Amino acid sequence: MPVNATSAAAPRPLVFAGVPASSWAFALRVWLAMLLALYVSFWLELDSPSSSALTVAVLALPTRGQGMEKAGYRLLATAIGVAASIAIAGLFSQTDGLLLAVLGIWVGLCVYVAGMLDGNRAYAAALCCITVALVDIQQIDTPLQVFPAGVARGAAIGIGVLAVALVNEFLAAPNYHPVLASRIEALYHRAADLAQGAERASAPAAASLLHDIAALRPEIASLATESSIGTARTEAARAALVDLVSALSLGRMLAALPAATPDTAGLMAMSRSWLQTEIGRKNAQVRSSLDALREGTRPSHAWRAPLYRSRRIAAETGARAAISFTLIAVFFVLTGWPSTELCLSLVAVIIGLGSTTPAPRSFTLVTLTAMPIACALAGMLKYLVFNGVSEFQLLAIGLAPVVIGLALLISLPNPTLSSLGRLVLVFTIAVLVPTNPQSYDPEVFLVTSLFACLSAVLVFAAQMLLPPLSGDRRVRLLLGEARRELDHLDRGRTRHLAPEEAAFRDAARIEQILTANGALPLDGQITAKAMRCFGQAEALRRCRAELDRLRLGPLAEAAQDAREALAQRNGGAILASADVLREAAVRSNLSANSAIAILIAASGAFAPSQPENRGERP
């Protein structure tokens, strides 16, 4: 969920009615942007003015950069979705059941792409599914209206985006980079405490820290939309995160060094000294990147922060989404109920949005709670507050308590309450459907409310019949992929990434493993296995990078022997190859300290057993 901008406020922020003043300012911006979007839509007499208000509700984020980044992806996804809607309607409008099958395939494809992405990019993939649902399905009996409906939706969304941008600019919405810098600095201090404390080699503690570091990856992209120097800040934040993961992995190597014996005391001292120097260098780079983030300058070294993508998990999730949507569509065909287009559209909306969360069923449960609340609020607004009026001023006054109250709920740090507030706000506008003039037909409202609630019930029923991918299965798949990738490292099947970048990618996989079961804690043995794979893969990549520098010259033969020892995955053989490489370097009067040191660290990573508190403190 988006980070609350108030987390970067002063220790004693201004408070009104128990809520920070920054949250009140955020709620006021949301209300004003919604009014501006509706007013312009009414003035231009758009066919879908409610889409502009919905856009404001979706873009209700506390900082400027977050809102603008999501707005850009919303516009892009809307354009793709409208184009897909026109193509699908043009090719399959007269095919009845085949059209529903094609729509189900499209839903599954969008969910698959969303599973391969993160952050607002995943939201954009889900929105492609939602746009087709809102354009094609609602015009399923009038295919000639697909193009005008798509254009009207695009125009309304554009107005909503402009309204949010103008209000955020004139009311000085806060930037996100101070919040992000504070969070990265807090992670840096946590890593330092972990290195110095009793739990410095603990797998659960290290995995939790890697989870929190990798979880910031989708948020740094919003810095690029804040200002002209946003791109530099994005690079600095990315460099800080990658170097932080690298420092943590080096610290775990230091903690896992084998116990020194009289024969290996010199090797252990060399490796310990090199690792301590590298950890200090990485920590200095993190601090330098943090300074660059705050000042808006580029970091000394730019890293990529790749995302780990599990095609198997994304494919299974997409297939389940396609089947669920198709089953619900078949249910409506068999019942023969009239006017079910809205319900089927909302089914696609719930499935699409749920695909961007780690636990789709939990999202559906929140939707089941939010939908009746939204229908009740829309009914009270329509028949108790407005009660037949059509003046825009009364519309603005009537919307104020609901929009501002729900925006305050969105600003809460509790992710469940924040998600509930956002869903209630979006669905309230969707059920209310502000128009000019406003419609007050009670029969239409009751049917809309009934089908809106039914959509959430049907998605939940489909998920009970065909359960989403369980957390345990996600964990098994991710661990299996980690082991296979570890086996294939020697065969050159991994992507061409620097060891630091590959370590961050593995940290992203750790983050996915830890969030697979939602808020439930993960078994300690699973965490230990995941961290062992992480440490071994990091040691192998660093060893290969160092040995590649020695493949030409007098040390080439010793380096090849070390590669063969690494292929055996045997700690004793790796340690012996490090000793051979040191002797060869002494005979040739050459320096290979970095390769020798990392080979010794790798021997610890591949030791048969690794006590948690072995090794010296950095």
Side-chain angles (χ1 to χ4, degrees):
M1 295 301 297
V3 179
N4 184 4
T6 60
S7 61
R12 294 182 180 179
L14 295 176
V15 176
F16 178 72
V19 180
S22 56
S23 295
W24 284 104
F26 163 65
L28 180 62
R29 291 196 303 271
V30 173
W31 176 60
L32 291 177
M34 188 170 294
L35 294 184
L36 177 60
L38 284 174
Y39 183 83
V40 175
S41 298
F42 291 160
W43 180 60
L44 294 176
E45 299 182 355
L46 296 181
D47 293 337
S48 181
S50 61
S51 294
S52 62
L54 282 171
T55 297
V56 174
V58 170
L59 301 181
L61 295 166
T63 63
R64 179 187 306 163
Q66 289 174 303
M68 292 309 299
E69 187 211 8
K70 193 170 187 177
Y73 281 112
R74 184 170 177 82
L75 289 173
L76 176 62
T78 299
I80 296 173
V82 169
S85 299
I86 296 171
I88 292 173
L91 295 174
F92 304 100
S93 60
Q94 304 298 325
T95 58
D96 297 331
L98 182 58
L99 174 60
L100 293 178
V102 170
L103 291 174
I105 293 173
W106 178 258
V107 169
L109 179 63
C110 292
V111 171
Y112 169 78
V113 175
M116 298 291 288
L117 302 173
D118 66 343
N120 286 326
R121 296 187 299 167
Y123 163 75
L127 186 59
C128 290
C129 156
I130 294 170
T131 301
V132 170
L134 296 177
V135 175
D136 258 357
I137 296 177
Q138 295 198 15
Q139 304 296 331
I140 197 170
D141 295 325
T142 55
L144 294 179
Q145 296 299 314
V146 168
F147 180 76
V151 172
R153 175 174 169 79
I157 288 176
I159 289 174
V161 169
L162 289 175
V164 171
L166 288 173
V167 170
N168 283 346
E169 188 66 29
F170 282 106
L171 295 186
N175 289 324
Y176 187 48
H177 71 268
V179 180
L180 191 58
S182 298
R183 296 184 67 188
I184 296 176
E185 186 171 12
L187 292 173
Y188 170 74
H189 291 305
R190 276 182 59 190
D193 294 339
L194 188 66
Q196 298 298 327
E199 290 186 325
R200 59 194 173 85
S202 168
S208 175
L209 183 56
L210 287 176
H211 166 276
D212 294 343
I213 294 172
L216 289 182
R217 181 192 180 276
E219 299 183 23
I220 62 179
S222 64
L223 300 181
T225 59
E226 280 190 345
S227 63
S228 58
I229 57 175
T231 303
R233 285 198 167 106
T234 300
E235 291 182 3
R238 187 182 298 120
L241 294 179
V242 173
D243 285 329
L244 195 54
V245 170
S246 183
L248 178 61
S249 66
L250 289 170
R252 285 184 58 80
M253 289 182 192
L254 178 61
L257 281 178
T261 65
D263 295 334
T264 63
L267 290 173
M268 296 304 156
M270 176 189 298
S271 181
R272 187 177 300 111
S273 176
W274 183 85
L275 287 172
Q276 289 173 340
T277 302
E278 281 296 299
I279 293 171
R281 187 172 66 85
K282 289 297 180 182
N283 287 334
Q285 289 178 348
V286 173
R287 292 191 296 269
S288 174
S289 297
L290 279 172
D291 292 338
L293 172 59
R294 293 188 175 96
E295 297 169 3
T297 58
R298 297 189 181 277
S300 57
H301 188 93
W303 293 112
R304 290 176 292 175
L307 172 68
Y308 179 77
R309 297 177 173 90
S310 174
R311 291 179 173 82
R312 176 71 178 273
I313 292 177
E316 291 197 21
T317 304
R320 282 173 165 80
I323 295 172
S324 298
F325 178 85
T326 305
L327 287 176
I328 295 173
V330 170
F331 169 78
F332 282 128
V333 171
L334 294 177
T335 58
W337 292 345
S339 304
T340 57
E341 295 87 355
L342 173 64
C343 187
L344 194 56
S345 300
L346 288 176
V347 165
V349 170
I350 297 171
I351 292 175
L353 292 179
S355 68
T356 64
T357 65
R361 183 179 290 180
S362 299
F363 176 83
T364 304
L365 288 175
V366 176
T367 304
L368 275 172
T369 305
M371 197 68 79
I373 298 173
C375 293
L377 287 176
M380 288 188 290
L381 283 174
K382 187 182 285 286
Y383 297 107
L384 296 180
V385 178
F386 301 150
N387 195 24
V389 302
S390 58
E391 290 80 4
F392 184 81
Q393 296 87 343
L394 297 178
L395 174 67
I397 296 172
L399 285 176
V402 173
V403 175
I404 292 177
L406 293 175
L408 291 176
L409 191 61
I410 293 173
S411 68
L412 294 178
N414 186 302
T416 302
L417 293 178
S418 179
S419 178
L420 179 64
R422 186 177 303 281
L423 289 175
V424 171
L425 179 58
V426 169
F427 290 138
T428 298
I429 300 300
V431 175
L432 179 63
V433 192
T435 56
N436 186 24
Q438 184 70 38
S439 172
Y440 290 96
D441 188 339
E443 182 178 352
V444 173
F445 176 78
L446 287 176
V447 171
T448 301
S449 300
L450 174 63
F451 281 127
C453 294
L454 181 61
S455 64
V457 173
L458 289 176
V459 173
F460 183 74
Q463 290 177 346
M464 294 295 293
L465 182 63
L466 183 66
L469 205 61
S470 67
D472 291 338
R473 177 159 175 77
R474 286 174 181 265
V475 169
R476 288 196 301 270
L477 288 175
L478 290 169
L479 282 178
E481 291 168 0
R483 295 190 189 99
R484 286 192 296 272
E485 189 172 293
L486 183 63
D487 293 338
H488 297 159
L489 280 178
D490 291 332
R491 306 175 192 174
R493 296 184 181 179
T494 56
R495 301 168 62 182
H496 298 290
L497 298 172
E500 292 84 355
E501 296 168 341
F504 187 90
R505 177 175 172 270
D506 288 350
R509 179 165 48 204
I510 296 290
E511 189 263 343
Q512 294 173 21
I513 291 174
L514 265 62
T515 57
N517 283 314
L520 297 177
L522 199 62
D523 182 77
Q525 291 184 351
I526 295 177
T527 305
K529 291 178 182 177
M531 289 304 300
R532 183 172 174 84
C533 285
F534 172 83
Q536 290 178 347
E538 170 72 349
L540 281 177
R541 291 191 186 100
R542 286 186 174 273
C543 286
R544 288 174 61 85
E546 293 296 335
L547 292 175
D548 284 345
R549 298 188 178 97
L550 305 177
R551 60 186 174 183
L552 298 177
L555 302 181
E557 183 178 353
Q560 180 60 33
D561 293 339
R563 289 192 190 90
E564 294 175 359
L566 289 171
Q568 298 175 19
R569 306 292 196 267
N570 183 282
I574 296 172
L575 184 60
S577 70
D579 193 23
V580 171
L581 181 60
R582 184 184 63 168
E583 293 176 356
V586 171
R587 288 195 303 268
S588 303
N589 197 24
L590 296 173
S591 175
N593 290 346
S594 57
I596 297 169
I598 199 62
L599 282 171
I600 298 168
S603 70
F606 286 97
S609 62
Q610 298 185 60
E612 289 292 318
N613 293 320
R614 181 186 294 173
E616 299 292 335
R617 286 190 183 179

